Amino acid sequence: MIAVVGSLNLDLVVPVPQHPVPGETVLGGGIAQHPGGKGANQAVAAARLGGSVAFVGRVGEDDAAGVMLGAVREEGVDTTHITRTPDTATGRALIAVDPAGENTIIVSPGANGRLGAADCEAAADVLRKAAVTVLQQEVPDEANHAAARLVGGIVLYNPAPAVAGAVPPPHVDVLVPNRTELAALTGTPVPETIDEVVAAARKLTGAGAVIVTLGGDGVLLLEGTSHLHVPAFSVRPVDTTAAGDSFCGALAVALAEGRTLEQSARWACAAAAISTTRAGAQPSLARRDEVEAFLAGRG
């Protein structure tokens, strides 16, 4: 079983001809509304890939709460430990996507910001039984730290979005930042080359293994004194919004099934690649048969 402690956001997505610079207004296309949030995306990604998933999180007391609960329940995610929060809005994300599929995102946390240690303690049985527990940074440090202390299996921590002053939870087994998040964690410039990524990642301490996601350049695995570059699969991207979440959900499933870190990373790269070929966050997430067919077609 996989546990996800994290966020649920209703995504409002607008296509733009280019991302605005400060002080600039651009005219976008038609707005679309999708269920999202890093935690919910990762939970749905894992469920679609065959994982048994339980969620610990919060929604508000508004119409968006019903949309979000319905969306994750429809995918088979256990919502027993998702709490409705009175007098609070459900989280929202405002997303702009350019013609190359690159996005900028503004998140209004809403009820996600109220998730705390008590929520994790109430779900202690789930966290202790989970083979993998997935954490990310759209909820308070308090919740992540409490969850990490309670888990009985692998702790997978995705430090996204990069938050100044955020303190990684204890006992992280697999840390999954992207380039920007790696720079924020290490206080170094955003690394461009593989050698720069390796050098920056070597500065991290406290995690059993580090997997740096590099977008179109694939991922870099660091474990002990060794490192390995896993290239990305070549696809034509439409929207990269949920690629990182797809990767983390798929990685959790593969690790829960007992695959090696390298096998898990390659499988997760395939799931992430598929997600970039479709619009939206949760609507883009791949199913298991799609990943298996995708990999079979590439030998």
Side-chain angles (χ1 to χ4, degrees):
M1 189 261 286
I2 295 164
V4 177
V5 179
S7 56
L8 302 101
N9 294 327
L10 189 62
D11 291 349
L12 303 176
V13 184
V14 178
V16 293
Q18 75 275 340
H19 293 291
V21 299
E24 180 185 15
T25 298
V26 300
L27 291 177
I31 193 167
Q33 177 176 289
H34 304 292
K38 295 197 72 64
N41 293 345
Q42 291 166 3
V44 170
R48 286 189 183 176
L49 294 168
S52 173
V53 184
F55 200 105
V56 181
R58 281 185 174 264
V59 292
E61 283 284 6
D62 53 11
D63 291 343
V67 173
M68 292 307 306
L69 286 168
V72 293
R73 283 174 182 156
E74 186 176 337
E75 301 292 345
V77 175
D78 182 349
T79 62
T80 302
H81 295 287
I82 298 179
T83 304
R84 284 183 179 264
T85 311
D87 303 317
T88 305
T90 298
R92 300 290 200 284
L94 311 176
I95 304 172
V97 182
D98 72 12
E102 294 296 332
N103 63 73
T104 57
I105 304 173
I106 300 171
V107 173
S108 175
N112 298 312
R114 301 277 294 276
L115 192 70
D119 297 287
C120 297
E121 289 159 5
D125 285 351
V126 168
L127 295 172
R128 291 191 182 108
K129 291 175 183 175
V132 179
T133 295
V134 183
L135 310 174
Q136 23 66 40
Q137 203 58 56
E138 280 187 343
V139 296
D141 287 348
E142 174 191 335
N144 283 332
H145 285 234
R149 288 193 295 269
L150 290 165
V151 300
I154 295 169
V155 176
L156 192 163
Y157 174 52
N158 174 217
V163 178
V167 180
H171 317 304
V172 173
D173 296 293
V174 185
L175 177 66
V176 189
N178 65 17
R179 280 189 175 96
T180 303
E181 293 143 10
L182 177 61
L185 288 171
T186 59
T188 59
V190 176
E192 298 296 334
T193 67
I194 296 298
D195 287 345
E196 288 172 347
V197 173
V198 172
R202 290 285 183 219
K203 297 178 182 292
L204 296 171
T205 59
V210 179
I211 302 179
V212 186
T213 58
L214 305 172
D217 293 327
V219 300
L220 185 73
L221 280 63
L222 295 97
E223 191 171 19
T225 58
S226 64
H227 68 269
L228 174 69
H229 178 225
V230 178
F233 294 97
S234 179
V235 295
R236 187 183 298 275
V238 171
D239 181 357
T240 61
T241 299
D245 295 335
S246 176
F247 181 89
C248 289
L251 186 69
V253 170
L255 291 172
E257 293 176 350
R259 304 191 196 201
T260 67
L261 199 62
E262 180 181 347
Q263 291 168 338
S264 299
R266 187 170 186 271
W267 203 67
C269 279
I274 293 169
S275 77
T276 68
T277 65
R278 302 189 283 230
Q282 287 179 31
S284 74
L285 299 172
R287 299 191 181 277
R288 191 179 188 101
D289 58 345
E290 293 179 303
V291 175
E292 300 294 356
F294 182 90
L295 287 170
R298 284 159 176 77

